[in-house]
């Protein structure tokens, strides 16, 4: 009886971990006037010609599509709608979203999606929580060098994905080791 329960519990824990990793938000903090760049990866061989979009999720649960690509080319295409620039890069499996001249009103929850009719759109990346604050113009004390507040250190999506995948793999290795040790301890 114990032999069948333990592997099942380990698999259930692994699946829960995958779901938590897949539904977490990425939070970006910016000040007014800055730019947000988000890279949303997609499977190249499966969705190269699909339409993709940048959407805002309202508090009421409604989805507002802000800009979308045509999805008809295997070449890089760009679409600009106001402050939103979408670059569909099929060869790299990447949708790059750029929001310029951010304002406090831009704060909210966003997502990259891929249209796959007749199914619901597929969310390509973690939902993005954007928090935009007013720029503070307080003067620093004497002897402090100031720079423009628009320089932002970026972290590549590949780096983040590598960390997530390594974390998931390391947890699965721990679960596997626990399974082996438990089975040997129980003499099976």
């Amino acid at each position: 009886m114990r032999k069948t329960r333990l592997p099942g519990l380990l698999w259930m824990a692994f699946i829960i971990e995958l779901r938590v990793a897949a539904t977490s938000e990425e939070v970006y903090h910016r000040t007014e006037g800055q730019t947000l760049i988000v890279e949303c990866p997609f499977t190249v061989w499966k969705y190269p010609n699909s339409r993709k979009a940048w959407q805002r999720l309202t508090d009421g649960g409604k989805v507002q599509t802000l800009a979308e690509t045509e999805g008809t080319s295997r070449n890089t295409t760009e679409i600009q709608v106001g402050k939103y620039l979408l670059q569909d890069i099929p060869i790299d499996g990447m949708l790059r979203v750029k929001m310029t001249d951010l304002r406090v009103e831009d704060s909210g929850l966003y997502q990259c999606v891929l249209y796959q009719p007749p199914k619901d759109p597929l969310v390509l990346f973690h939902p993005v929580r954007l928090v935009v604050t007013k720029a503070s113009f307080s003067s620093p004390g004497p002897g402090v060098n100031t720079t423009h507040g628009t320089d932002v250190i970026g972290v590549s999506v590949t780096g983040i994905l590598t960390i997530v995948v390594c974390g998931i793999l390391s947890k699965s290795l721990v679960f596997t080791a626990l399974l082996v040790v438990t089975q040997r301890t129980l003499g099976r």
Side-chain angles (χ1 to χ4, degrees):
M1 186 76 154
R2 286 184 185 164
K3 187 175 183 180
T4 57
R5 281 187 178 176
L6 187 58
L9 289 174
L10 291 174
W11 273 112
M12 190 173 2
F14 181 70
I15 297 295
I16 289 170
E17 183 67 29
L18 283 176
R19 285 185 181 167
V20 168
T23 57
S24 63
E25 293 179 357
E26 292 287 326
V27 179
Y28 292 86
H29 294 274
R30 299 291 186 271
T31 56
E32 284 193 325
Q34 288 185 325
T35 298
L36 172 72
I37 297 175
V38 177
E39 293 185 333
C40 303
F42 60 89
T43 308
V44 176
W45 58 269
K46 198 170 181 183
Y47 305 111
N49 297 331
S50 298
R51 289 183 310 129
K52 295 152 194 93
W54 180 241
Q55 298 178 330
R56 184 171 186 166
L57 304 167
T58 64
D59 291 334
K62 293 188 179 186
V63 176
Q64 177 187 9
T65 299
L66 304 168
E68 70 181 70
T69 66
E70 295 294 323
T72 57
S73 173
R74 290 194 174 271
N75 299 321
T76 299
T77 57
E78 288 186 1
I79 183 87
Q80 175 100 36
V81 178
K83 64 170 48 190
Y84 311 104
L85 173 68
L86 303 184
Q87 293 176 308
D88 188 359
I89 312 167
I91 196 163
D92 293 337
M94 189 67 62
L95 175 66
R96 184 173 294 129
V97 178
K98 185 176 183 181
M99 285 177 64
T100 58
D101 193 28
L102 295 173
R103 298 287 161 228
V104 171
E105 307 83 57
D106 293 322
S107 295
L109 190 61
Y110 295 85
Q111 64 184 7
C112 294
V113 297
L114 180 138
Y115 292 109
Q116 50 179 3
K119 299 177 188 175
D120 289 335
L122 173 69
V123 178
L124 293 179
F125 187 61
H126 301 290
V128 172
R129 172 79 54 195
L130 176 61
V131 180
V132 182
T133 56
K134 290 223 177 259
S136 65
F137 294 105
S138 61
S139 60
V144 175
N145 293 331
T146 60
T147 59
H148 294 341
T150 57
D151 297 333
V152 178
I153 297 173
V155 178
S156 72
V157 172
T158 306
I160 292 170
L161 288 175
T162 302
I163 291 168
V164 169
V165 169
C166 289
I168 291 170
L169 290 176
S170 68
K171 286 183 180 184
S172 65
L173 287 173
V174 169
F175 285 133
T176 304
L178 286 172
L179 175 64
V180 169
V181 169
T182 304
Q183 286 181 341
R184 286 188 181 170
T185 303
L186 296 174
R188 296 190 175 120

